[in-house]
Coordinates of all heavy atoms in Angstrom, one line a residue:
Chain A
T25 N -35.9 7.7 -50.9 CA -35.6 7.6 -52.2 C -35.4 6.2 -52.7 O -35.7 5.7 -53.8 CB -34.3 8.4 -52.4 OG1 -34.5 9.8 -52.0 CG2 -33.9 8.5 -53.9
I26 N -34.8 5.4 -51.8 CA -34.6 4.1 -52.1 C -35.8 3.3 -52.3 O -36.2 2.5 -53.2 CB -33.6 3.2 -51.0 CG1 -32.3 3.9 -51.2 CG2 -33.6 1.8 -51.3 CD1 -31.4 3.5 -49.9
I27 N -36.7 3.6 -51.4 CA -38.2 3.0 -51.5 C -38.7 3.4 -52.7 O -39.4 2.6 -53.4 CB -39.0 3.4 -50.3 CG1 -38.4 3.0 -48.9 CG2 -40.4 3.0 -50.5 CD1 -39.2 3.5 -47.7
F28 N -38.6 4.6 -53.2 CA -39.1 4.9 -54.5 C -38.6 4.3 -55.7 O -39.3 3.9 -56.6 CB -38.9 6.6 -54.5 CG -39.4 7.2 -55.9 CD1 -40.7 7.5 -56.0 CD2 -38.5 7.4 -57.0 CE1 -41.2 8.1 -57.2 CE2 -38.9 8.0 -58.1 CZ -40.3 8.2 -58.3
I29 N -37.1 4.2 -55.6 CA -36.5 3.6 -56.8 C -36.8 2.1 -57.0 O -37.1 1.7 -58.1 CB -35.1 3.8 -56.6 CG1 -34.7 5.4 -56.8 CG2 -34.3 3.1 -57.8 CD1 -33.3 5.6 -56.5
I30 N -36.7 1.4 -55.9 CA -36.8 -0.1 -56.1 C -38.0 -0.6 -57.0 O -37.7 -1.3 -58.0 CB -36.6 -0.8 -54.9 CG1 -35.3 -0.7 -54.3 CG2 -37.0 -2.3 -55.0 CD1 -35.1 -1.2 -53.1
P31 N -39.2 -0.3 -56.7 CA -40.2 -0.8 -57.5 C -40.2 -0.3 -59.0 O -40.7 -0.9 -59.9 CB -41.5 -0.3 -56.7 CG -41.1 0.9 -56.0 CD -39.7 0.6 -55.5
R32 N -39.6 0.8 -59.2 CA -39.5 1.5 -60.5 C -38.4 0.9 -61.4 O -38.3 1.2 -62.5 CB -39.5 3.0 -60.4 CG -40.8 3.5 -60.1 CD -40.8 5.1 -59.7 NE -42.1 5.5 -59.3 CZ -42.7 5.1 -58.1 NH1 -42.2 4.5 -57.2 NH2 -43.9 5.7 -57.8
L33 N -37.5 0.0 -60.8 CA -36.5 -0.6 -61.5 C -37.2 -1.7 -62.3 O -36.7 -2.1 -63.4 CB -35.6 -1.2 -60.6 CG -34.7 -0.2 -59.9 CD1 -33.8 -1.0 -59.0 CD2 -34.0 0.6 -60.8
A34 N -38.4 -2.1 -62.0 CA -39.0 -3.1 -62.8 C -39.7 -2.4 -64.0 O -40.0 -1.2 -63.9 CB -40.1 -3.9 -62.0
V35 N -39.9 -3.1 -65.0 CA -40.5 -2.5 -66.3 C -42.0 -2.4 -66.0 O -42.7 -3.1 -65.4 CB -40.2 -3.3 -67.6 CG1 -39.3 -2.4 -68.5 CG2 -39.6 -4.6 -67.2
G36 N -42.5 -1.2 -66.6 CA -44.0 -1.2 -66.7 C -44.5 -0.4 -65.5 O -43.8 0.1 -64.7
D37 N -45.8 -0.2 -65.4 CA -46.4 0.6 -64.4 C -46.5 -0.3 -63.1 O -47.0 -1.4 -63.1 CB -47.9 0.7 -65.1 CG -48.8 1.2 -63.8 OD1 -48.3 1.5 -62.8 OD2 -50.0 1.1 -64.0
P38 N -45.9 0.1 -62.0 CA -45.7 -0.5 -60.9 C -47.1 -1.1 -60.2 O -47.2 -2.3 -59.8 CB -45.0 0.3 -59.8 CG -45.0 1.7 -60.5 CD -45.3 1.6 -62.0
T39 N -48.0 -0.2 -60.3 CA -49.3 -0.7 -59.7 C -49.9 -1.8 -60.3 O -50.4 -2.8 -59.8 CB -50.3 0.6 -59.7 OG1 -49.6 1.7 -59.3 CG2 -51.4 0.4 -58.7
S40 N -50.0 -1.7 -61.8 CA -50.7 -2.7 -62.5 C -50.0 -4.0 -62.3 O -50.4 -5.0 -62.1 CB -50.8 -2.5 -64.0 OG -51.1 -1.0 -64.1
A41 N -48.5 -3.8 -62.4 CA -47.7 -4.9 -62.3 C -48.0 -5.8 -61.0 O -48.1 -6.9 -60.9 CB -46.2 -4.6 -62.3
L42 N -48.0 -5.0 -59.8 CA -48.2 -5.5 -58.6 C -49.5 -6.3 -58.5 O -49.7 -7.4 -58.0 CB -48.3 -4.5 -57.4 CG -46.7 -4.1 -57.0 CD1 -46.6 -2.8 -56.1 CD2 -46.2 -5.4 -56.3
L43 N -50.5 -5.5 -59.0 CA -51.9 -6.0 -59.0 C -51.9 -7.4 -59.8 O -52.6 -8.4 -59.3 CB -52.9 -5.2 -59.5 CG -53.3 -4.1 -58.5 CD1 -54.2 -3.0 -59.1 CD2 -54.0 -4.8 -57.2
G44 N -51.4 -7.3 -60.9 CA -51.3 -8.5 -61.8 C -50.6 -9.7 -61.1 O -51.1 -10.7 -61.1
R45 N -49.6 -9.4 -60.4 CA -48.8 -10.5 -59.7 C -49.8 -11.1 -58.6 O -49.9 -12.3 -58.4 CB -47.6 -10.1 -59.1 CG -46.5 -11.0 -59.4 CD -45.1 -10.6 -59.2 NE -44.7 -10.5 -57.7 CZ -44.0 -9.6 -57.3 NH1 -43.6 -8.7 -57.9 NH2 -43.8 -9.6 -55.9
L46 N -50.5 -10.2 -58.0 CA -51.3 -10.5 -56.9 C -52.4 -11.4 -57.3 O -52.7 -12.5 -56.8 CB -51.9 -9.3 -56.3 CG -52.2 -9.3 -54.7 CD1 -51.0 -9.5 -54.1 CD2 -52.8 -7.8 -54.3
M47 N -53.1 -11.0 -58.5 CA -54.1 -12.0 -59.1 C -53.7 -13.2 -59.6 O -54.3 -14.1 -59.5 CB -54.8 -11.0 -60.2 CG -55.6 -10.0 -59.5 SD -56.8 -9.0 -60.6 CE -55.6 -8.0 -61.4
S48 N -52.5 -13.1 -60.2 CA -52.0 -14.4 -60.8 C -51.7 -15.5 -59.7 O -51.6 -16.6 -59.9 CB -50.7 -14.3 -61.6 OG -49.7 -13.9 -60.7
K49 N -51.4 -14.8 -58.5 CA -51.2 -15.8 -57.4 C -52.5 -16.3 -56.7 O -52.6 -17.0 -55.7 CB -50.4 -15.2 -56.3 CG -49.0 -15.1 -56.7 CD -48.2 -14.9 -55.3 CE -46.6 -15.0 -55.6 NZ -45.9 -14.6 -54.6
G50 N -53.5 -15.9 -57.3 CA -54.9 -16.4 -56.9 C -55.4 -15.5 -55.8 O -56.6 -15.7 -55.3
G51 N -54.9 -14.4 -55.6 CA -55.3 -13.4 -54.6 C -56.5 -12.7 -55.1 O -56.8 -12.6 -56.3
N52 N -57.4 -12.4 -54.2 CA -58.6 -11.7 -54.6 C -58.5 -10.2 -54.4 O -58.7 -9.8 -53.3 CB -59.8 -12.4 -53.9 CG -61.0 -11.8 -54.2 OD1 -61.2 -11.2 -55.2 ND2 -62.1 -11.9 -53.2
V53 N -58.4 -9.4 -55.3 CA -58.5 -8.1 -55.3 C -59.7 -7.4 -55.8 O -59.9 -7.4 -57.0 CB -57.2 -7.4 -56.0 CG1 -57.2 -6.0 -55.7 CG2 -55.8 -8.0 -55.6
E54 N -60.5 -7.2 -54.8 CA -61.9 -6.5 -55.3 C -61.5 -5.1 -55.8 O -60.6 -4.4 -55.2 CB -62.9 -6.4 -54.0 CG -63.3 -7.9 -53.8 CD -63.8 -8.0 -52.4 OE1 -64.6 -7.0 -51.9 OE2 -63.8 -9.1 -51.7
N55 N -62.4 -4.7 -56.5 CA -62.5 -3.2 -57.1 C -61.1 -2.9 -57.6 O -60.6 -1.7 -57.4 CB -62.7 -2.3 -55.9 CG -63.9 -2.7 -55.1 OD1 -64.9 -3.3 -55.8 ND2 -63.7 -2.5 -53.9
S56 N -60.4 -3.8 -58.3 CA -58.9 -3.6 -58.7 C -58.9 -2.3 -59.7 O -58.1 -1.6 -59.7 CB -58.3 -4.8 -59.4 OG -59.1 -5.1 -60.4
A57 N -60.1 -2.3 -60.5 CA -60.0 -1.2 -61.5 C -60.2 0.2 -60.7 O -59.3 1.1 -61.0 CB -61.2 -1.3 -62.4
E58 N -61.1 0.2 -59.7 CA -61.1 1.5 -59.0 C -59.8 1.7 -58.3 O -59.4 2.9 -58.3 CB -62.3 1.3 -57.9 CG -62.7 2.6 -57.2 CD -63.5 2.3 -56.1 OE1 -64.1 1.2 -55.9 OE2 -63.6 3.3 -55.2
L59 N -59.3 0.8 -57.8 CA -58.0 1.0 -57.0 C -57.0 1.6 -57.9 O -56.4 2.7 -57.6 CB -57.5 -0.4 -56.5 CG -56.1 -0.4 -55.7 CD1 -56.1 0.6 -54.6 CD2 -55.8 -1.7 -55.2
I60 N -56.8 1.1 -59.0 CA -55.8 1.6 -60.0 C -56.1 3.1 -60.4 O -55.3 3.9 -60.4 CB -55.6 0.8 -61.2 CG1 -55.1 -0.7 -60.9 CG2 -54.8 1.4 -62.3 CD1 -55.1 -1.7 -62.1
A61 N -57.3 3.4 -60.7 CA -57.9 4.7 -61.1 C -57.5 5.6 -59.9 O -56.9 6.7 -60.2 CB -59.3 4.7 -61.3
R62 N -57.9 5.2 -58.7 CA -57.8 6.1 -57.5 C -56.4 6.4 -57.3 O -55.8 7.5 -57.0 CB -58.4 5.6 -56.3 CG -59.7 5.4 -56.3 CD -60.6 6.6 -55.5 NE -60.3 6.6 -54.1 CZ -61.0 6.1 -53.1 NH1 -62.2 5.4 -53.5 NH2 -60.8 6.3 -51.8
W63 N -55.5 5.4 -57.6 CA -54.2 5.5 -57.2 C -53.5 6.4 -58.3 O -52.7 7.3 -57.8 CB -53.6 4.0 -57.5 CG -52.2 3.9 -56.9 CD1 -51.0 4.3 -57.4 CD2 -51.9 3.5 -55.5 NE1 -50.0 4.0 -56.6 CE2 -50.5 3.6 -55.4 CE3 -52.8 3.0 -54.4 CZ2 -49.8 3.2 -54.2 CZ3 -51.9 2.7 -53.3 CH2 -50.6 2.9 -53.2
K64 N -53.7 6.2 -59.5 CA -53.1 7.0 -60.5 C -53.5 8.4 -60.4 O -52.6 9.3 -60.4 CB -53.6 6.5 -61.9 CG -52.7 5.2 -62.3 CD -52.9 4.9 -63.8 CE -52.0 3.8 -64.1 NZ -52.3 3.2 -65.5

Side-chain angles (χ1 to χ4, degrees):
Chain A
T25 305
I26 291 170
I27 296 174
F28 177 82
I29 292 172
I30 287 177
R32 280 165 183 81
L33 291 178
V35 243
D37 163 16
T39 318
S40 321
L42 276 169
L43 283 171
R45 227 170 72 214
L46 215 55
M47 283 183 286
S48 74
K49 281 202 175 167
N52 178 24
V53 183
E54 286 164 36
N55 315 321
S56 64
E58 189 197 341
L59 176 56
I60 293 175
R62 292 261 295 266
W63 195 276
K64 284 193 167 162

